[in-house]
Amino acid sequence: MLRTHTCGELRLSDKGKTVTLCGWVQRIRDKGKLLWIDLRDRYGITQITLEEGVAHSQLFEIARKINREFVLQVVGTVEERISKNDKIATGDIEIRPTQIVILNPAKLPPFLIEDDTDGGDDLRMKYRYLDLRRNVVRNNLILRHRMAIAVRNYLDKLQFVEVETPVLIKSTPEGARDFVVPSRMNPGEFYALPQSPQTFKQLLMVSGFDRYYQIVKCFRDEDLRADRQPEFTQIDCEMSFVTQEDILDTFEGLIRYLFKEIKGIELPAFPRITYADAMKYYGNDKPDLRFDMKICDLTDLARGKGFQVFDSAEVVLAICAKGCADYTRKQLDELTEWVRRPQIGMKGLVWVKWSNDGLKSSVDKFYSPDDLEKWAIRSQAQQGDLLLLLSGPEKTTRKAMSELRLEMGERLGFRKKDNYKALWVVDFPLLEWDEEANRWNAMHHPFTSAKSEDISFLETNPAAVRANAYDMVINGVEVGGGSIRIHDRAMQEKMFELLGLSPQEAKLKFGFLMEAFEYGAPPHGGIAFGFDRLCALFGGADSIRDFIAFPKNNHGRDVMIDSPSEISQEQLKELHIAVTFVKQT
Ligand code: ASP
């Protein structure tokens, strides 16, 4: 090797050793008689010191040609430093060089390779290989690596087998648009990239693999957000001969193991909450349980007192912000503006303060202190608290209330990144009505089974049918989800029919799976975790981008390699594709 040690490993105990280090120049300081080079690699930084009269003058000559990010090889002896630096692990020593070799010069990087960089997002993405030299980003990827190893260790111990499934497949119904790949050998035909390995993992259960997992790339052509990428990674898992309970146990175990191994945190058993309760109390199916502030329904108490807004509302909902009775007029006006923003879409906000002088509200004209007291009691408010009320149609009001709850949680400092609250949301509805398409959609995916006690409603009241489906939620983020599957051909056919697929279409798209069900399919179920999201959560970040080595930007572009890009006429011809571009204005 070109080096004997890394830039992060030498200590005072190595004093006197002759060593060879390789790395990049982090910084160079030239004081004339003394010159220092900070040499950096993945492992740390070591100071190289040249002193006039001690170091050969040729070394000074070489050193004065060096700039930031040059790649060097340095041979020298380890010496004790006079002024020590307790901020770095090698801060007690320095290298007195006898030889400096410039392995490769470097252009000045377009942004600072420091923890706090001056590079904006676009620049960092274009020069991602330089961005990856920064500690913060590199540490995220190392965290990701450690998480992947821990996942494999845990699942391996439980006899899970990692199997690779194909990337060139046909459409998988996870509800997003497919990325497609034209087939040269089959004119006019296309592969689809997997939105998940769903059907393959089910086929592996038919094959008797019993326990499968894969850390696998999935592809979904959706509009992008901070926590979405067109290609992302799942920890995809499937088990045979299990109940929902077994799956929840096994994978709660996985996540608790990860928290223990990676963060040294012992999480308590995960509470379970039904989808119906999650919607009722938190207005959303991925509740943030780092704080309570449940949504309380005041509709019956609030109606019938002459306040037109509440009288005409489908629901009147409240949350109680503990200790906020001292909110000023200005703060309340500002909150009212906040709920009126188009993203929230409410017309107004009603408040009730319970201060030392009793209960006071923005609707005192219509409600007596007795009325307000009833609201307060139901919302479990106490003196010193503030009630915030929204009203309107049920669905939109619950959603808005969920946002307001999160906002208040944020303002009150309840959403600390290093406080982890995990839970399971269970009993999801099997189907959801698609207004636009005027038909039922599978809420999870079409392979999810219905609760046996609800199957009889499939014909009469599909909306009431609950699925054997579950999500794991941590701090308001859905980190994983899955279901117990249908493993019976007739039932699967019925499900496709319910979803508006003709028998011909069902056969064309999923005939292979239904056929497999006729050759001895075991009862099975599984789950998939969003690995990028899980890593971001462990790393205390909101965006998954810096946990992916080479991510795409918000337009789905890789700005470093400049992709997607056009392909040549020859390639298009070979692929039997005639392209007419319609320029969008
Ligand atoms: N394939 C599902 C998904 O990607 C997960 C599962 O049901 O196991 O969400």
Side-chain angles (χ1 to χ4, degrees), residues 328-500:
T328 60
R329 189 72 214 203
K330 195 165 156 236
Q331 281 174 299
L332 292 165
D333 286 349
E334 197 250 317
L335 265 186
T336 309
E337 281 315 307
W338 190 88
V339 303
R340 282 192 180 137
R341 295 178 327 151
Q343 300 94 307
I344 308 295
M346 289 282 106
K347 291 214 179 70
L349 175 74
V350 167
W351 51 262
V352 183
K353 285 178 179 181
W354 192 348
S355 59
N356 293 341
D357 324 325
L359 287 147
K360 193 168 167 20
S361 79
S362 56
V363 284
D364 277 350
K365 251 208 292 191
F366 302 97
Y367 299 95
S368 69
D370 275 358
D371 293 331
L372 299 180
E373 195 179 335
K374 286 192 189 122
W375 297 2
I377 289 170
R378 186 174 295 170
S379 322
Q380 297 186 341
Q382 290 166 329
Q383 200 171 58
D385 295 348
L386 169 74
L387 289 187
L388 298 170
L389 282 74
L390 295 175
S391 65
E394 161 119 45
K395 213 169 153 192
T396 46
T397 310
R398 272 198 199 280
K399 188 155 179 288
M401 201 41 132
S402 154
E403 297 292 336
L404 181 61
R405 175 182 175 270
L406 291 174
E407 177 66 19
M408 289 308 293
E410 190 71 49
R411 291 182 188 208
L412 293 169
F414 293 148
R415 301 178 71 194
K416 298 231 160 53
K417 291 227 178 328
D418 55 355
N419 176 21
Y420 293 96
K421 285 284 182 291
L423 70 144
W424 289 104
V425 178
V426 297
D427 297 358
F428 276 81
L430 183 70
L431 303 161
E432 61 187 345
W433 185 249
D434 183 335
E435 295 282 351
E436 261 169 47
N438 204 28
R439 60 171 171 79
W440 293 104
N441 267 340
M443 191 144 180
H444 186 48
H445 52 54
F447 313 113
T448 296
S449 64
K451 293 223 171 283
S452 53
E453 60 270 36
D454 290 0
I455 285 183
S456 55
F457 310 133
L458 266 178
E459 315 278 342
T460 51
N461 184 8
V465 178
R466 291 165 307 158
N468 293 309
Y470 32 80
D471 275 356
M472 186 189 285
V473 176
I474 304 179
N475 292 4
V477 177
E478 181 209 319
V479 294
S483 62
I484 298 294
R485 327 295 183 189
I486 296 166
H487 63 279
D488 163 270
R489 174 166 191 143
M491 191 64 210
Q492 189 64 70
E493 272 174 350
K494 194 161 161 189
M495 179 61 73
F496 286 136
E497 193 189 315
L498 251 167
L499 299 174

Side-chain angles (χ1 to χ4, degrees), residues 507-519:
K507 192 157 174 242
L508 208 67
K509 285 190 171 157
F510 305 113
F512 64 95
L513 185 69
M514 291 195 287
E515 194 179 0
F517 285 173
E518 293 181 304
Y519 288 96

